[in-house]
Amino acid sequence: MHAPHESSGPLLLLLLVLAGLQSAAESRGAPPCRPGFSEGLYTVMIPDITEKGQPLFNVRFVSCGRGGLVQFECSNPSDFRIEADGVVYAAKALQPSTLPASPLLIKATDPTTQQQWVTQVRLAPPIQIRSDHDKNRSLRYSVTGPGADQPPNGIFTIDPISGELSVNKPLDREHIPSFHLRAHAVDLNGNQVENPIDININVIDMNDNRPEFGHQIWNGTVPEGSKPGTFVMTVTAVDKDDPKTANGMLRYKILSQSPESPNPNMFTINNKTGGIITVAAGLDREKVSQYTLIIQATDTEGNPMYGLSNTATAVIRVTDVNDNAPEFTAEAFFGRVHENQVNVIVANLSVTDKDQPNTPAWNAVYKIISGDPFGKFSVPTDPTTNEGLVTVVKPLDFELNKTHLLKIEARNEVPLARGISSPRQSTATISIQVLDVNESPYFEPNPKVIRLEEGVMPETDLVPFPAKDPDQFMHQSISYSKLSDPANWLRIDPRTGRISTIAVLDRESPHVKNSYYNATFVALDNGKPAASGTGTLQIYLLDINDNAPKVFPHEVEICEKPEPNAINITALDGDLIPNAGPFAFELAHKPLDVRRNWTITRISGDYAQLSLRIGFLESGIYEIPIIITDSGNLPMSNTSYLRIKVCQCDINGDCTDQQHIRAAGLGTGAIISILLCIILLLILVLMFVVWMKRRDKERQAKQLLIDPEDDVRDNILKYDEEGGGEEDQDYDLSQLQQPDTLEPDAIKPVGIRRLDERPLHPEPQYPMRSAAPHPGDIGDFINEGLKAADNDPTAPPYDSLLVFDYEGSCSTAGSLSSLNSSSSGGDQDYDYLNDWGPRFRKLADMYGGSDD
C-alpha cells in the first residue's frame, strides 16, 4: 500500500504538508536582508471541498524596512483572490479535479519604484492511498485514529474504493498541531491484505493570530536626571502562532510619546525583547512627572505589510530625587518664653522644597549648628506642615542669660543628589527672649545629712538650713516652716532657718528607718505670686546603749516529761552592735525554786539553752525570770519572764490539750457562742423580773388611788364568800377593850397567821398613840395606821384579827358588838368628826346629818 509516485514498500510514512511557510532567514542562515518573497516555491494541498471565500494559504513578503506596501496579483484571478496581507482566498467553489496543472504565480509590485517580485504556488491534489494487491482484486480502504473515527471525529475521511484521503473540516494548528492516523486495506470479505500504515499529518501554521499584550497598561518608573541608557521597564506580548515561524516572531516599536518635552524621543524600545530605556538626558520631575508611550507589537518579524499588530500603553512615572534643597522662608525668626518652662514651642520655622511632598527628598530635618552649647533646645519636624518646631527641652534661667541666638540648618532625610549643593537659604537664625518669673527658693544641699548621737535633749541647736532665692533682681525675703516631722522632734526658726530640737531624739523610734530620720521644711518667698520650695534634713542617729535586752520567744511549750528537756532562747535588743549582743543569760535568784528546777547554759553569744533539772513537771503555766545583760560600753540588764506552758504530750512530743478541746467540739468559737447564749438568757430573766416588779408596783399604786368613798373599809364590800359573824371566830373580842390585861402567852406572836393568810411581807410597824390623845392627834394617828394597814398585805379584807401595837387604855366601851348606834345616835353630836379629816366626814354625814 503506497501513495502515487512513491515506492517505499508495504509500510510507508507519509508527511502531508497541508499549508506551510518557512522563514527565509532559517533556510539561508540569516543573510543580509533582501526584499522579496520568503519562498520561491510554495506547495499547497487544496481540500476536496473548497467553498467560495475560504482562506487557502498565504504568502510572505519581506520588505526589509521599505516604506509603503506592495501590491499583489495572482495568475488565476478567476479561481483565487489575494489580499494586501498576502492571504489567498478561493474566488469560487473549487474541486481538486479542476485545479490547473501548472503552478499559480503570485506577483508583488512596489507602487513607488515599480519593482516586482514573483513566486510560484504548486497546488497539490488530495493524497491517495493504494495497495499493490488492488490489481487483481477489489479492496476497501479505511483510516482510524483521532480526527477520523476518534474525537475529534470526521476531520479526515478516505474514499473506500479510490483511497483518496480528504480533509472535511478546517484545521487549527493552535488547537491540534498534528494528527496520527492509521490506514487499512481489506478485501471484500473483510480480510486484511496488508499491515496498516501510519500517517503523520503536521498542520503548518498560518498567520491567523494577532499579538496579545499581557497588560493593556504597563507602569514603570525612572528617576529624574537619569543618564541615557538607563533601563526603565519591559513590555511583552505573545502570539499564538508558531513561534518557530515568522508568524509567531514579534517586533516592538514606540508609536508615540506624550508629552514630547524636553525631547520627543526620550525613550527607545528593544524591538525583540520589549525593554524600554532612556536615550536622552533632561528628565526633570518638577517639569514633567509622567510620560505615556504607545507600544506596538507586530508579528512576521514586524512586517508592516503582512504582519498582524496590536498596541498597549506604557506609563512611565519620573520619580523624585533630592535635587532641591529646603530653603527657609525668612532669614531670621523670633520667639519668647518664660524661664523654667520646658517642652514648649517658642517658634515655627517654615521652609519650601520643590521636591515631591511627603517623600524623603522633601521631608525637612532641622539641626542647631550654633548657639546651644548645653542642649537646651531641639527642633523636631512637624510631619504635616514640614515646619521646624523650636522647643525648649531644658529650663532656661533669666538670671544667667536673657537672650539666646540660635543658628539652624535645614536638610532633607536623604542627601542631595550628586552635584547639588545647599544654598544659603538653607540656614536661618532665631532670637529667643527669656522672660523673668518668680522662682521658688531652693535648699542646697537637698537633702542635707547630719550625724548625731541619739538621746539629744530638747532645745538643742542642731544646724542652720537656709534656702536660696534664685531671683537675684527681685530682692525678696524668705520665711520657713515645717512640712513633715513624723515624730515632732524638730523646730525651725521662721526667719533664719536654724533647726533645733523640741524632744529627745531616739534611734529606736518607729519613725527612724535604717538609723535615718527625715524631716521636710518649706521655704516661702514674698513674691507675687509667692513661690515655695522644700528641703529635706536627714539626721543619721548614732546608737547608744539605751535599750535593755528582752528574752525571745516570750512563750514556749514543753511536755510534762520533756525528752529532750531543753529550750533554746535568745534576746531582742533595740540597740545595734556593739550595744546589743553578745548577751549574758542568768536565772534570777528568786523565787528559790527557779534555780532548783531549772538551769540555763549559754550556747553562743546570742543564744542560750534553758533546761529542766527534774525529770517530771506538773502541767501548768510557769513564768521563769531570766536576767539578760547586753555588751554595751555601759552594759544594761533586764529581767525578762519566759512563759512556759507544761502540757501532756503524745508520742511525737506535741501537746495534746488543745486536741482534746477540739475533739470535744469546744473550740474558741464554740465557747464564745455558749457564753453569748448564757448572757442573753440572763438578760431575758432579768427583764422578766423587772417587769414583774413593775407590775406589782402598778397594782399597789392603783390601790392607793382608790377614792375614799370606794374604800373597802368605809363601805360594804361584797365577796363571793363572806364567812360567819363575829360569834364564829376563835378569838376573844375583849382583847380590843383591855389589851394591857392580856397575858403574854395569849398574844399572837409576830409572824403567826392563819393558814389562809398570805405571808408575803414582815409585820408592819403601826404607830403608838399617847395616853391622852387630842382629837387632832387621833386623826393623825388613824391616818398613820391607815398607811401602815394599806401597806400590810395581811390587812382586811381578810377576815382575821388585826393586832395593833397599842390601842390605848381605860376604854369605857364594852364589846364592839354591844354598841347600838341607833339608840344613841340622836343624842350625840358628831360634827367633831369633820375635824378629823376627809376619811371621817363620811361618818359625820351618816350620823350627824339629817334624815336624808
Side-chain angles (χ1 to χ4, degrees), residues 514-526:
N514 298 325
S515 301
Y516 280 95
Y517 179 75
N518 295 331
T520 305
F521 302 92
V522 178
L524 179 68
D525 63 21
N526 60 347

Side-chain angles (χ1 to χ4, degrees), residues 92 133 334 368 388 498 610 694 726 752 759 763 798 804:
K92 61 180 181 180
H133 299 282
F334 301 92
I368 301 175
R498 179 168 289 277
L610 183 65
R694 180 176 296 178
E726 296 178 351
I752 302 299
E763 290 290 334
Y798 291 100
F804 288 88

Side-chain angles (χ1 to χ4, degrees), residues 572-650:
L572 298 180
D573 195 322
D575 296 322
L576 301 177
I577 296 175
N579 295 322
F583 301 100
F585 299 88
E586 181 184 3
L587 291 174
H589 294 276
K590 292 182 180 181
L592 299 178
D593 58 348
V594 172
R595 288 178 172 264
R596 184 168 56 250
N597 297 338
W598 303 90
T599 181
I600 192 167
T601 304
R602 182 175 179 180
I603 300 176
S604 63
D606 295 332
Y607 292 89
Q609 192 174 72
L610 183 65
S611 303
L612 192 64
R613 290 179 178 271
I614 59 180
F616 174 80
L617 190 63
E618 186 178 355
S619 297
I621 297 177
Y622 301 85
E623 291 189 352
I624 309 302
I626 300 176
I627 302 174
I628 307 176
T629 305
D630 60 22
S631 299
N633 189 13
L634 296 176
M636 294 191 68
S637 297
N638 181 41
T639 300
S640 296
Y641 287 87
L642 177 63
R643 184 183 179 90
I644 300 178
K645 179 181 179 182
V646 181
C647 58
Q648 296 179 0
C649 298
D650 54 16

Side-chain angles (χ1 to χ4, degrees), residues 38-295:
S38 60
E39 297 290 340
L41 175 63
Y42 292 89
T43 301
V44 178
M45 189 188 76
I46 302 301
D48 291 340
I49 300 175
T50 303
E51 298 178 356
K52 180 181 178 180
Q54 178 178 342
L56 301 177
F57 60 92
N58 71 334
V59 293
R60 178 171 174 268
F61 185 85
V62 180
S63 63
C64 295
R66 295 169 58 88
L69 299 177
V70 296
Q71 298 176 352
F72 295 102
E73 298 178 12
C74 68
S75 61
N76 189 359
S78 60
D79 295 334
F80 303 97
R81 174 173 55 86
I82 186 169
E83 296 293 334
D85 57 357
V87 179
V88 178
Y89 297 88
K92 61 180 181 180
L94 300 176
Q95 294 182 0
S97 59
T98 62
L99 295 177
S102 60
L104 180 67
L105 299 179
I106 303 296
K107 181 174 64 174
T109 304
D110 187 343
T112 303
T113 63
Q114 298 301 317
Q115 186 177 359
Q116 295 182 348
W117 296 268
V118 178
T119 186
Q120 296 182 11
V121 178
R122 186 176 63 185
L123 302 177
I127 302 300
Q128 184 178 21
I129 300 174
R130 301 291 297 177
S131 174
D132 293 340
H133 299 282
D134 65 350
K135 296 178 182 180
N136 51 13
R137 54 179 152 174
S138 297
L139 299 180
R140 296 294 183 265
Y141 300 96
S142 65
V143 291
T144 59
D149 61 344
Q150 298 178 17
N153 302 72
I155 296 179
F156 299 96
T157 60
I158 189 171
D159 188 304
I161 298 175
S162 64
E164 291 183 355
L165 184 64
S166 303
V167 179
N168 297 324
K169 298 180 181 179
L171 302 178
D172 187 358
R173 189 202 65 84
E174 288 75 31
H175 182 58
I176 302 177
S178 63
F179 295 90
H180 179 73
L181 304 178
R182 302 198 75 181
H184 305 271
V186 297
D187 58 15
L188 296 178
N189 295 324
N191 298 319
Q192 181 176 313
V193 297
E194 283 195 36
N195 292 330
I197 65 172
D198 292 329
I199 303 175
N200 290 325
I201 302 174
N202 292 327
V203 182
I204 304 303
D205 184 40
M206 291 183 63
N207 191 17
D208 57 348
N209 292 280
R210 290 180 179 275
E212 296 291 340
F213 284 93
H215 305 282
Q216 192 59 36
I217 298 178
W218 296 76
N219 295 298
T221 59
V222 61
E224 63 174 330
S226 297
K227 296 180 179 181
T230 302
F231 175 78
V232 180
M233 61 188 300
T234 298
V235 295
T236 57
V238 295
D239 196 313
K240 295 180 181 179
D241 293 325
D242 190 357
K244 297 180 180 180
T245 67
N247 297 333
M249 296 180 180
L250 306 181
R251 296 295 182 265
Y252 301 93
K253 65 182 298 185
I254 297 175
L255 297 182
S256 65
Q257 169 190 309
S258 176
E260 298 181 351
S261 174
N263 192 311
N265 297 313
M266 296 295 294
F267 304 93
T268 186
I269 188 170
N270 188 310
N271 65 345
K272 292 184 178 180
T273 63
I276 300 176
I277 61 175
T278 60
V279 293
L283 291 174
D284 190 349
R285 190 205 62 84
E286 287 73 33
K287 295 180 180 179
V288 179
S289 61
Q290 181 174 292
Y291 290 90
T292 302
L293 307 180
I294 304 300
I295 309 297

Side-chain angles (χ1 to χ4, degrees), residues 19-36:
L21 295 173
Q22 290 192 358
S23 172
E26 291 178 352
S27 62
R28 296 188 297 270
C33 183
R34 290 182 297 179

